[in-house]
C-alpha cells in the first residue's frame, strides 16, 4: 500500500470521527470562513484609503500574499496540527505510541490527520489569487511559469520546515503551542508580516524575515521577480529553492536530533 492510499485511508477515518460531531465541524468551518472573509475585507478597506503601499498596487499586493497563502494552506493541511499538538503528546507520553509504528513518527503524525479548518483559507486564497492575477499585466512564458511554480513549491517547503522546527522544540520545552503560533499563525504570528511588501518594515524586521525566519521567500521575492519590482539584492529573487533546501534540511536534522534525545515524560 503506497503513501497516498494510506493517507486517503487515514483521512477517511479522521473525517468520519469528526462527522460524529458534525455541528462542531460545521461551526469551525463557518467561523474560519468568517475570519478569513473579514481579513480580506480589511485588506480592501486599506486599499480603499491608500492607492498603493511601498510602490505596490492593490492587485500586486493581493497577488503577492495569496501566492504565499496558497502554499501556506497546503502546508498547514499536513503539518500545523501535528506540530501544534507535539507539546501535549510529549507531556502525556502519548508520543511513545508513534515510536512503535513501522513508519517514521513524523510521517505517521502527518498521515493520520487532515487539518480541514484551513479549507476556507485555501478557497479564499485561490479565488483572490486568480482574481488578482487576471488584473495584472503578467507576461507568462514557459520560463516564468516554471520558476513561479518552483517558487511556490519552495514556499510550501519553507512553511513546513518552520512549522516542524517549532514543533520539535517540544522535545525540550514540553509545551510549544505558543512558539508554533508565534511563528506560524497567520492571524497574529510572525507569518502575518509577510502579507505586505517587505520595504514597509524596518531594516531589522526585513533582515529577520529574510535571513532568520525566511518568510520573505514565500511571496515577496518570487512575486517581485515576476512583476519586475526592484529589491535590495536581485539575487534574492532567485533564492527560494536554495532557501527551501536549507530550511528543509535544517528542520529534518533538528527533528532527528530531537528524536534521538527524546525521553518519555509520561502522564
Amino acid at each position: 500500500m503506497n503513501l497516498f492510499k494510506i493517507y486517503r485511508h487515514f483521512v477517511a477515518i479522521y473525517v468520519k470521527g469528526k462527522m460524529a460531531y458534525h455541528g462542531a465541524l460545521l461551526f469551525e468551518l463557518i467561523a474560519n470562513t468568517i475570519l478569513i472573509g473579514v481579513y480580506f475585507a480589511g485588506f480592501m478597506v486599506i486599499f480603499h484609503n491608500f492607492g498603493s503601499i511601498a510602490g505596490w498596487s492593490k492587485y500586486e499586493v493581493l497577488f503577492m500574499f495569496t501566492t504565499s497563502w496558497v502554499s501556506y494552506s497546503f502546508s498547514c493541511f499536513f503539518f500545523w496540527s501535528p506540530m501544534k499538538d507535539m507539546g501535549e503528546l510529549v507531556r502525556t507520553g502519548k508520543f511513545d505510541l508513534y515510536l512503535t509504528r513501522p513508519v517514521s513518527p513524523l510521517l505517521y503524525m502527518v498521515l493520520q490527520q487532515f487539518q480541514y479548518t484551513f479549507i476556507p483559507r485555501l478557497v479564499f486564497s485561490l479565488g483572490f489569487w486568480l482574481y488578482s492575477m487576471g488584473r495584472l499585466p503578467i507576461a507568462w512564458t514557459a520560463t516564468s511559469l516554471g520558476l513561479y511554480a518552483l517558487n511556490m513549491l519552495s514556499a510550501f517547503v519553507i512553511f513546513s520546515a518552520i512549522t516542524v522546527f517549532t514543533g520539535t522544540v517540544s522535545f525540550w520545552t514540553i509545551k510549544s503551542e505558543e512558539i508554533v503560533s508565534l511563528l506560524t499563525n497567520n492571524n497574529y504570528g510572525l507569518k502575518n508580516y509577510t502579507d505586505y511588501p517587505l520595504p514597509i518594515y524596518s531594516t531589522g524586521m526585513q533582515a529577520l524575515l529574510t535571513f532568520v525566519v525566511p518568510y520573505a521567500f514565500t511571496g515577496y521575492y518570487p512575486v517581485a521577480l515576476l512583476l519586475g519590482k526592484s529589491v535590495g539584492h536581485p539575487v534574492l529573487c532567485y533564492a527560494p529553492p536554495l532557501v527551501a533546501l536549507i530550511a528543509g534540511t535544517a528542520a529534518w536534522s533538528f527533528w532527528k536530533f530531537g528524536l534521538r534525545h527524546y525521553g518519555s515524560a509520561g502522564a
Side-chain angles (χ1 to χ4, degrees):
M1 184 178 292
N2 59 39
L3 290 179
F4 177 75
K5 290 182 178 179
I6 294 174
Y7 184 60
R8 187 176 60 184
H9 178 70
F10 271 124
V11 167
I13 295 174
Y14 184 79
V15 171
K16 286 179 181 178
K18 290 294 182 180
M19 288 300 293
Y21 304 94
H22 55 274
L25 184 148
L26 183 61
F27 180 78
E28 278 189 290
L29 290 175
I30 292 174
N32 277 276
T33 300
I34 293 174
L35 179 65
I36 302 304
V38 169
Y39 187 92
F40 276 100
F43 173 87
M44 294 302 180
V45 169
I46 290 175
F47 276 95
H48 179 74
N49 294 284
F50 300 94
S52 64
I53 294 180
W56 288 61
S57 71
K58 174 176 70 173
Y59 297 118
E60 290 172 337
V61 176
L62 188 60
F63 181 62
M64 182 197 74
F65 89 72
T66 52
T67 291
S68 177
W69 272 35
V70 169
S71 298
Y72 173 74
S73 299
F74 278 112
S75 173
C76 288
F77 282 147
F78 302 107
F79 295 100
W80 168 258
S81 183
M83 294 300 102
K84 179 178 66 69
D85 296 338
M86 266 296 295
E88 182 67 13
L89 293 173
V90 172
R91 186 186 68 80
T92 60
K94 292 181 179 179
F95 185 74
D96 294 358
L97 297 175
Y98 294 93
L99 300 176
T100 65
R101 301 296 188 260
V103 296
S104 162
L106 181 59
L107 179 59
Y108 188 79
M109 292 172 70
V110 170
L111 291 176
Q112 71 161 359
Q113 57 80 48
F114 175 72
Q115 195 58 25
Y116 59 89
T117 55
F118 283 89
I119 291 176
R121 186 183 301 271
L122 178 62
V123 171
F124 270 97
S125 299
L126 287 173
F128 280 99
W129 178 62
L130 294 171
Y131 169 74
S132 60
M133 189 191 305
R135 283 158 178 77
L136 292 174
I138 301 175
W140 291 106
T141 64
T143 301
S144 63
L145 185 61
L147 186 58
Y148 181 71
L150 177 61
N151 286 337
M152 289 194 73
L153 177 60
S154 299
F156 170 84
V157 174
I158 291 170
F159 283 129
S160 302
I162 293 172
T163 305
V164 170
F165 196 93
T166 54
T168 303
V169 174
S170 294
F171 286 127
W172 293 276
T173 63
I174 305 300
K175 289 184 67 64
S176 66
E177 296 94 330
E178 292 80 7
I179 299 174
V180 175
S181 294
L182 175 65
L183 292 181
T184 64
N185 191 295
N186 202 86
N187 299 319
Y188 53 81
L190 186 64
K191 165 68 179 66
N192 192 47
Y193 286 84
T194 64
D195 292 346
Y196 294 92
L198 207 59
I200 71 172
Y201 303 118
S202 66
T203 302
M205 180 58 72
Q206 291 183 44
L208 175 66
L209 294 173
T210 300
F211 302 109
V212 182
V213 186
Y215 281 137
F217 294 98
T218 66
Y220 175 69
Y221 287 119
V223 173
L225 174 65
L226 190 62
L227 298 178
K229 296 288 185 180
S230 175
V231 298
H233 302 282
V235 70
L236 294 175
C237 294
Y238 296 93
L242 177 61
V243 173
L245 178 62
I246 294 172
T249 302
W252 177 246
S253 298
F254 188 50
W255 169 264
K256 296 291 288 185
F257 177 77
L259 205 58
R260 288 196 301 268
H261 291 78
Y262 167 69
S264 179

